[in-house]
Amino acid sequence: MPIVKLLGDMLDKYAAKYSGDNVKTVLTAVKTLMDSKYEASIAVIYDVVERARGVLDAEGVPSILWGVYLSFAQKLAKRTFSLKTAALQKEASALKAEWVTAHGADPDILDKIINVIIGTIPPY
C-alpha cells in the first residue's frame, strides 16, 4: 500500500520542525517521523520481492535471471497502488506482454508472479 499523508502526520512534522528552539536542526527533529515512513514503505517492497522470490525458487529459475522477474514484480506492485480490478488486470496483461517480448521472460512464470501479487491471473 502507498503511504498516504494524513493531517496528523503533517501536523506532527510541522511541530517537530518549527518548535522554535530546533529550527536549525530540522533533519534531526523529523528523523523519527522520516524513519517510520521509510520502514512502512519498504515493507511493501520487501513483501513483493519475497513473494516473487518464492515463485522463482519453486520454478527453479537460475538466480542470474531473477532480476528480470523481480523488476516485473516491482513494476506490477507499483500499478496496484493506483489501479484496481479491470484496469489492474489490463495493466498486468500489458506488462506481461512487454516482459515476454522485450525481456524474454517465461509467460508461465510471469502468470504465477501476477497471481501471488494481485491474486488473480487476467484473461489474455
Side-chain angles (χ1 to χ4, degrees):
M1 292 293 144
I3 305 303
V4 179
K5 288 185 178 182
L6 301 175
L7 180 61
D9 294 337
M10 290 187 280
L11 288 174
D12 291 342
K13 183 177 179 180
Y14 180 83
K17 282 174 78 171
Y18 303 110
S19 66
D21 58 343
N22 65 350
V23 174
K24 294 180 182 175
T25 59
V26 172
L27 186 58
T28 57
V30 296
K31 179 121 174 76
T32 56
L33 297 171
M34 185 175 62
D35 289 344
S36 65
K37 286 183 180 181
Y38 172 76
E39 289 172 6
S41 62
I42 200 70
V44 175
I45 297 168
Y46 177 80
D47 182 48
V48 167
V49 168
E50 286 303 310
R51 287 180 186 194
R53 283 178 53 165
V55 170
L56 297 174
D57 193 34
E59 292 297 314
V61 176
S63 60
I64 195 165
L65 300 176
W66 281 21
V68 172
Y69 296 102
L70 293 179
S71 64
F72 171 79
Q74 290 176 359
K75 286 277 191 181
L76 181 62
K78 181 179 176 183
R79 302 299 197 280
T80 64
F81 296 151
S82 58
L83 301 172
K84 301 290 181 237
T85 60
L88 179 59
Q89 290 183 354
K90 287 181 181 180
E91 284 286 328
S93 178
L95 275 175
K96 177 186 171 188
E98 177 186 348
W99 252 254
V100 168
T101 304
H103 304 288
D106 183 4
D108 295 330
I109 295 173
L110 293 179
D111 279 339
K112 291 177 182 179
I113 292 173
I114 291 170
N115 192 26
V116 298
I117 293 176
I118 66 173
T120 183
I121 299 174
Y124 301 111

